[in-house]
Amino acid sequence: MIARLTGEPVIIYGAGSTGALLARALRSGRRYRPVAFIDEDPGRTLARIDRLPVYPVQHLEQALFRHRVRRVILSLPSAADVHRRRIVDQLQALGVAVETVPPIDELLAGRRGLEDVEPVDARSAVEAIACPERLHADLSGAHVAVTGAGGSIGRELCRQIARLAPGRLVLIERNEHNLYELTQLLRWEAAREGRALAMEAYLADAGDPRRMERILAEAGVSAVYHAAAYKHVPLLEANPLEAAANNVLTTAHCLEAAERAGVGRFVLVSTDKAVRPTSVMGASKRAAEQLIQSRAQGQSAMRLATVRFANVLDSSGSVLPLFREQIRHGGPVTVTHPEARRYFMTIPQAAALLLQAGALAEGGEVFVLEPDEAVRIEDLARRLIALSGLRVRDTADPQGEIPIVYTGLREGEKLSEQLLLGEQVSGTGYRRILRAWEPSQSQAVLAEGVQALEQAVAERDGQRARAVLGELVPEYRPSQQQGPAKVRRLQVVERAS
């Protein structure tokens, strides 16, 4: 009882499973003493969690006064930036100090714990990667286009560009709903932050060269960030023609359109799955990378670069949303292999790396973010279960709530990924950003390959598309796995009813 009365009284903003775990973690120390929760979900308010009251947001001031609190800790590790900023502004307007739990990637990697709270204005991961002042000088007043603008990476890229005062931000997206949502978000953020935003939104296919040339020329675009792509490995294994069309041919057509429109810079979004690929998705992205590299080696007036990402947490292709949904439904959580490992980065980190690469590009380089240690997918699943306030059900804990099921590697998947093909790697002067030069096919070979892929797509010949990708990417080694893997349970026990 005495331990609970020590420490500064604090209110936790967020009464979900992470908030409950945070309260317990803080109680075990002497620095802070949790006295209440604030939550936006009406289903959680006017209740108690671990004997602490949960107040609705509209009673925030009352809670601060009643509990004599001058510090609030945000327990929203996965909240969108715009939502977090609105909450922070509201709290700071009331004169209280605001701290936050570490970001979700730090928690899931096990590098930090919930109790490692920090001031909300601490140096962010984005600032550690990219220098805002340098980026502002590079993009302020520029006319910038983003393809695939409504996707998870494209969306965050547009948000960061919009804050750098571009002369014009051009959004290119073929999904109507995603484009509408993005334009509403960007306008709302600009109005809220009191800044001007010149923006044009085009419902267009980035693979239509004539349309793209007209958009880029009429908007006077000087820089293109090409984020439009398909990226789900198992889906593209079953749909190789769509992988070839959207990932390779669209990139080729975008490059041609940008060249003809007089664009000065072109940056391609790629993936670590392009390194010694075992999947159609990886091979298609490696072919797209080579289009950038070979054009840079020719007489192109554009500055061209590729940015290669590891797995991006909470993107549409990430395993994290799947795990959350599985946990929400009581499990099981499916992991392909107990030794599967991946490098991870956050969406803001990915967008910041893209912008910095655009500023640093000299011609044909591949930029990567120097990774932290690779994370086992099983460990990530276990940490996410714990952050949800639940326990893994296995032989060590038969009373746990969520079992983990191992399904076997899917066709095209690897146990682990690599970020670089060769050893020609150097630093850039920016923390954690590496620059690499990698071998590429000649422009003649790639032009012939693009033509062959166009013919395969037109004739709906998936086998030919795979063969052409193999010719363009000699290191492509298709997975030999045939058919779906059998689901099996390892170290999982049924809980007694």
Side-chain angles (χ1 to χ4, degrees):
M1 190 69 165
I2 295 176
R4 289 182 182 173
L5 296 178
T6 62
E8 178 185 350
V10 295
I11 286 177
I12 296 173
Y13 197 116
S17 55
T18 306
L21 288 172
L22 174 61
R24 294 171 205 161
L26 294 178
R27 279 173 165 168
S28 66
R30 296 176 176 273
R31 183 180 176 190
Y32 294 133
R33 172 168 50 92
V35 295
F37 292 95
I38 295 290
D39 202 272
E40 299 171 351
D41 184 350
R44 292 179 180 154
T45 57
L46 304 179
R48 285 183 174 268
I49 296 177
D50 279 351
R51 300 184 298 280
L52 299 180
V54 183
Y55 293 92
V57 174
Q58 56 267 34
H59 294 171
L60 173 59
E61 291 185 69
Q62 175 187 341
L64 294 170
F65 176 78
R66 174 178 294 179
H67 296 281
R68 304 291 194 271
V69 166
R70 299 185 61 81
R71 189 180 304 274
V72 173
I73 300 177
L74 300 185
S75 179
L76 306 167
S78 299
D81 288 349
V82 62
H83 182 52
R84 183 186 299 271
R85 283 198 307 276
R86 179 179 61 78
I87 294 169
V88 170
D89 286 352
Q90 180 185 11
L91 292 169
Q92 291 180 336
L94 294 173
V96 296
V98 186
E99 296 196 351
T100 184
V101 297
I104 189 68
D105 60 316
E106 296 281 323
L107 294 174
L108 292 175
R111 292 189 288 271
R112 301 171 69 187
L114 278 169
E115 68 281 1
D116 297 324
V117 297
E118 60 187 3
V120 77
D121 60 351
R123 181 175 173 83
S124 69
V126 172
E127 291 170 339
I129 296 171
C131 173
E133 293 78 15
R134 293 283 295 273
L135 291 181
H136 190 279
D138 183 62
L139 291 176
S140 178
H143 291 201
V144 185
V146 178
T147 70
S152 47
I153 296 297
R155 181 186 179 97
E156 177 63 21
L157 186 59
C158 290
R159 294 178 62 226
Q160 292 192 26
I161 292 171
R163 297 193 187 103
L164 296 168
R168 183 176 297 170
L169 177 57
V170 178
L171 317 178
I172 300 168
E173 170 62 55
R174 67 182 181 184
N175 183 297
E176 179 188 26
H177 178 69
N178 287 359
L179 184 61
Y180 171 75
E181 278 199 334
L182 177 60
T183 56
Q184 295 298 103
L185 172 66
L186 293 175
R187 289 190 183 109
W188 182 81
E189 288 187 343
R192 179 180 173 277
E193 296 169 12
R195 50 180 168 78
L197 176 61
M199 177 177 64
E200 295 177 6
Y202 291 92
L203 193 60
D205 184 349
D208 182 339
R210 292 183 180 178
R211 181 86 194 280
M212 283 296 296
E213 181 182 356
R214 183 170 182 177
I215 290 171
L216 299 177
E218 290 183 351
V221 169
S222 59
V224 171
Y225 292 86
H226 182 47
Y230 288 146
K231 54 190 175 184
H232 288 269
V233 170
L235 282 178
L236 296 189
E237 284 300 306
N239 296 275
L241 293 172
E242 282 63 34
N246 202 40
N247 292 356
V248 185
L249 300 183
T250 291
T251 301
H253 295 155
C254 268
L255 273 169
E256 292 168 7
E259 193 88 66
R260 290 195 298 266
V263 170
R265 185 189 316 166
F266 192 103
V267 181
L268 170 70
V269 179
S270 192
T271 169
D272 57 1
K273 293 173 178 60
V275 180
R276 298 179 180 85
T278 57
S279 65
V280 168
M281 184 273 198
S284 67
K285 292 301 290 185
R286 178 61 191 142
E289 290 183 355
Q290 291 187 94
L291 291 172
I292 300 293
Q293 292 171 282
S294 66
R295 189 174 290 264
Q297 293 164 8
Q299 301 301 313
S300 176
M302 291 191 292
R303 282 192 293 151
L304 300 113
T306 294
V307 179
R308 194 178 283 157
F309 293 154
N311 290 267
V312 181
L313 286 168
D314 266 350
S315 72
S316 59
S318 168
V319 73
L320 214 56
L322 171 64
F323 282 176
R324 285 201 186 99
E325 190 69 11
Q326 291 175 335
I327 293 168
R328 190 171 70 85
H329 286 93
V333 169
T334 56
V335 174
T336 57
H337 191 285
E339 293 304 319
R341 298 171 185 269
R342 296 291 183 269
Y343 296 110
F344 286 98
M345 63 195 309
T346 65
I347 292 175
Q349 284 177 328
L353 177 58
L354 260 171
L355 294 178
Q356 193 67 73
L360 295 172
E362 295 175 359
E365 311 101 312
V366 174
F367 291 92
V368 300
L369 180 67
E370 185 178 10
D372 294 301
E373 186 177 351
V375 177
R376 281 204 320 160
I377 301 299
E378 180 186 349
D379 291 341
L380 186 147
R382 289 179 176 275
R383 289 178 187 126
L384 195 60
I385 291 169
L387 287 171
S388 300
L390 301 170
R391 307 194 316 273
V392 175
R393 187 199 317 165
D394 55 18
T395 52
D397 186 1
Q399 299 304 312
E401 296 88 357
I402 308 292
I404 292 177
V405 171
Y406 302 96
T407 59
L409 291 174
R410 297 172 296 182
E411 190 172 2
E413 285 190 322
K414 304 177 186 176
L415 268 181
S416 59
E417 301 285 358
Q418 299 169 285
L419 286 168
L420 295 167
L421 269 172
E423 298 181 358
Q424 286 187 293
V425 182
S426 66
T428 59
Y430 286 83
R431 180 176 173 266
R432 298 184 64 189
I433 298 181
L434 302 178
R435 175 193 275 119
W437 286 267
E438 297 181 344
S440 169
Q441 299 276 23
S442 68
Q443 282 189 289
V445 169
L446 288 166
E448 184 178 338
V450 166
Q451 187 175 5
L453 283 178
E454 286 178 332
Q455 184 176 351
V457 169
E459 296 175 356
R460 307 306 299 165
D461 188 343
Q463 186 174 356
R464 176 59 180 152
R466 289 178 187 270
V468 174
L469 286 174
E471 293 166 8
L472 291 176
V473 186
E475 65 271 23
Y476 173 33
R477 296 289 182 270
S479 168
Q480 298 304 311
Q481 184 176 337
Q482 298 296 322
K486 294 182 179 180
V487 175
R488 58 195 179 96
R489 292 174 180 260
L490 300 182
Q491 294 187 333
V492 175
V493 297
E494 297 299 328
R495 183 170 49 189
S497 58

